[in-house]
Amino acid sequence: MTIYAPALARGEGPLYVELADAIERDITAGTLAPGERLPTHRDLADALRLNVSTVTRGYREAEKRGLVSATVGRGTFVTSDAVTNSAMVSFEPCAPGMLELGLIEPLDHLDPEISEGFRRIARRKDPSALLRYSDPRGQAEHRRAGALWAERFGVPAKAEDVIVCAGSQHALTCALSGLLRPGDRVAVDALTYPGLKTLAAMLGLRLVSIAMDEQGMVPASLDAACRRDEIKALYLMPGVHNPTTVTLPDAWRNDIARLADRHDLILIEDDAYDLTDPARIAPVGNRVPHRSVYIAGMSKSLAAGLRVAFTVAPQSMLKPLAQAVLNTIWMAPPLNVELTAMWITDGTADRVVAAKQAEAARRYMLACDILDGLRFHGKSTGFFLWLELPEPWTGHALEQAAAKQGVNVFGAEKFVVGQSPAPRAARVSLTGTESLDQLKQGLVTLREILRGRP
């Protein structure tokens, strides 16, 4: 039996880097397919006449690049997203007129009127006080507002439990960098938020894929992974999961909380879209508050450009989280947080949430009409859909075909973790276009594409 043996240039650079480069080239060329198992370290070392340690370092380098994933007892596999860019935002200019059904925009036209907000701040206090250095944890009144906002998600919190961050992505960065170390393993859903994937790669953290079903993360799969690997943390989006829209049921939240306690896991809970659904369940962290970090973001609810989020954590974790804020940006901009806090306390934020739910409901009903006959999952007031694709379509194929027709959409491959197989599915944003007419045009285009063949 012939085993995979890449061609190495054997130049002046380290051989382990050349091995990782060769694996990357072969994946790009299609010689190695997503999900394909690579030879054992010993077998590849023998085939290439290298030291086993060199192959081990080469595989680790390939894993850092997101090309392969190793599982104890199973081997090393090409990741399912190895040929897919997991980044949500491209730094390349997009084609003029591209309809955005990929990115989830928070219905910006319904955001509060910012000019009046600044005038109110100027009448209440000296704005210059908000331009100075302040406590990295956030000002006391801002942390009190953060505790109020956390209550919207069902998290009981006091001001002293809150750290103010510059958006949910920054809060996630602080949690991962402040509480974990390079090489640590983090359990995640088999399909997860791409921003977590790219951040984990940057921080040198290893993501462990946990099986999902129609209810969300399977507790038995999490238990098995914790027994097999040394896992330090668990990342969850239990309410309106991105990308599948699943809401984790209460019974499974209880099971996962017990497993977090049993296996000594740091629980990082990110309910970015939970407020888009009026029917909410108490967070998993409420059951294990001593090990829970809860991220109560504002971007999808109020105004993305303010970049404000509130992190609720136990006292034992507050110091490293505050240090992470200090190490990254020193403090969330107090002027932005002041505006956010004012809108939380005076009820503006709640009114904006309600208005955005109503607009999302109109868009959801439009999608139901246009996509009738196709299988998809979503919330009646949600910001996105999880669209199941008819054979032989894949998410990646739909992405490419839609782009040619002027529509941006995200295939399942962008969300998959490790060697988990990518389902035939795509995430469809309902809020990326400015108007209902643009959304209708984009959805009709997707429907017509799926009636053909890739």
Side-chain angles (χ1 to χ4, degrees), residues 391-403:
E391 292 189 3
W393 284 97
T394 65
H396 184 61
L398 178 62
E399 267 194 41
Q400 293 180 314

Side-chain angles (χ1 to χ4, degrees), residues 342-413:
M342 181 179 70
W343 283 336
I344 290 171
T345 54
D346 71 6
T348 298
D350 293 324
R351 291 191 292 273
V352 170
V353 167
K356 291 187 176 185
Q357 286 179 352
E359 173 63 14
R362 286 189 284 272
R363 293 177 178 232
Y364 178 80
M365 291 304 297
L366 177 65
C368 288
D369 289 340
I370 294 173
L371 301 179
D372 185 38
L374 293 170
R375 286 179 55 84
F376 61 86
H377 308 272
K379 304 294 184 182
S380 61
T381 53
F383 285 12
F384 59 95
L385 303 175
W386 185 238
L387 178 62
E388 296 183 17
L389 306 180
E391 292 189 3
W393 284 97
T394 65
H396 184 61
L398 178 62
E399 267 194 41
Q400 293 180 314
K404 292 177 182 178
Q405 298 294 322
V407 177
N408 188 37
V409 68
F410 291 160
E413 292 82 357

Side-chain angles (χ1 to χ4, degrees), residues 15-67:
L15 282 173
Y16 80 91
V17 174
E18 288 192 19
L19 175 56
D21 290 343
I23 291 171
E24 186 166 7
R25 284 195 304 271
D26 288 344
I27 290 172
T28 303
T31 304
L32 287 173
E36 185 171 341
R37 183 174 181 170
L38 296 181
T40 66
H41 298 207
R42 170 62 66 187
D43 286 346
L44 189 58
D46 290 343
L48 297 177
R49 297 185 179 181
L50 296 174
N51 292 328
V52 173
S53 60
T54 300
V55 173
T56 298
R57 293 186 70 188
Y59 276 6
R60 284 178 182 166
E61 176 63 24
E63 189 170 13
K64 282 184 188 176
R65 301 181 192 182
L67 302 171

